[in-house]
Amino acid sequence: MATRLYTHPIFLEHLTPPGHPERPDRLRAIARALDDEAFDHLDRVEAPRGEEDAILYAHPKDYVERVRAAIPEAGIARIDADTCASPKSWEAALTAIGAAMAAVDDVFDGRADNVFVAARPPGHHAEHDRAMGFCLFNNAAIAARHAQKKHDVERVAIVDFDVHHGNGTQDIFWSDPTVLYASTHQMPLYPGTGAVGETGAGNIVNAPLSPDSGSDSFREAFSDRVLTAVEAFRPELIIVSAGFDAHHRDPLAEINLTEDDFDWATGRLMEQAGRSASNRLVSLLEGGYDLQGLAFSTAAHVKRLMEG
């Protein structure tokens, strides 16, 4: 089984203020973890720059122009209380989109069975016309639309195990039964969405977890709600919003997972991809803010992708 990794130095040039949790060191920590000899056979490819028109797969043109206008010529600009941009953020965001779309192409064209994209800024909080939660554009949503437009995919499942609910992805696909969005997340917690009763067109499946939940609660919710929904949906492609901030070391939440839980969840999603999607799985980095927890969890996730 071939696993491809996309990343790019431009992602380190999306700058945030000192002390901001979504910082370039996150990708440096992942790079160090993946330098281990266990990842010698990982197919490493530089992420391509995406076309600006691809942003319109998930966001309206006036919103795209507002984000572009917010990019500063120098220093760091705040788009909202949590979301920042620096002079290279536009290029970083376009390259994150390009990597997500290239990953979709790879799994459909046979260049890889699965792909992990280590990019920033992340995307799952970016709503149809609103940047928030460290996110400018919704990489997972754009990748799903790309699969539908270029590869004639009828059903895409986006599975999100970030500890924060992916309100942006839910917002974009709220009325679209061709895309399943299934999420485990802590609740109550930012951004305040993700209740069980939020079901969209029957294509939204939320499995909120209480603070101080651990492995047993996570695995039960993931099995009973997320995997059951994915199995019934039978997607032709699985996209993972892979946030690792449910790790017990993470400073932004109180879900006490370990890297073994991410290994387990990855394995279960790969099994489902094997049943309905010819093994096609694309994983996009979202959150994870303790550098050690992020590094260990990402390594477990990618190792499972490589092992099958």
Side-chain angles (χ1 to χ4, degrees), residues 189-267:
L189 191 66
Y190 181 92
T193 54
V196 171
E198 297 169 17
T199 58
N203 61 315
I204 306 296
V205 178
N206 288 308
L209 300 168
S210 300
D212 295 319
S213 296
S215 297
D216 291 345
S217 296
F218 168 74
R219 295 189 187 204
E220 180 179 4
F222 200 82
S223 296
D224 292 350
R225 292 191 58 78
V226 172
L227 294 177
T228 297
V230 174
E231 174 73 32
F233 190 68
R234 296 197 59 78
E236 299 156 81
L237 168 69
I238 295 176
I239 297 173
V240 183
S241 277
F244 300 105
D245 39 5
H247 192 276
H248 68 90
R249 291 180 56 94
D250 203 274
L252 298 191
E254 296 85 33
I255 299 296
N256 300 307
L257 302 190
T258 71
E259 49 269 27
D260 288 343
D261 294 306
F262 296 113
D263 170 87
W264 173 85
T266 304

Side-chain angles (χ1 to χ4, degrees), residues 40-108:
D40 285 349
H41 296 294
L42 187 60
D43 181 21
R44 302 164 191 262
V45 181
E46 186 169 89
R49 184 183 189 273
E51 297 295 329
E52 294 181 15
D53 285 350
I55 306 172
L56 303 179
Y57 288 171
H59 305 284
K61 188 174 181 62
D62 65 330
Y63 169 74
V64 176
E65 293 304 321
R66 291 202 310 273
V67 173
R68 190 204 303 268
I71 304 298
E73 293 185 4
I76 296 173
R78 285 195 179 271
I79 295 177
D80 74 359
D82 301 311
T83 309
C84 303
S86 62
K88 295 293 186 179
S89 294
W90 183 260
E91 288 300 311
L94 283 178
T95 306
I97 290 166
M101 294 171 61
V104 169
D105 292 339
D106 288 343
V107 298
F108 278 96

Side-chain angles (χ1 to χ4, degrees), residues 25-27 29-30 244 247 285 287-299:
D25 281 346
R26 298 177 64 232
L27 291 193
I30 289 173
F244 300 105
H247 192 276
L285 179 66
Y289 305 104
D290 176 83
L291 298 184
Q292 181 176 316
L294 173 64
F296 288 176
S297 299
T298 302

Side-chain angles (χ1 to χ4, degrees), residues 159-178:
V159 176
D160 188 337
F161 52 63
D162 191 289
V163 81
H164 300 93
H165 181 245
N167 60 292
T169 312
Q170 176 172 291
D171 174 65
I172 290 167
F173 295 114
W174 181 259
S175 302
D176 184 353
T178 70

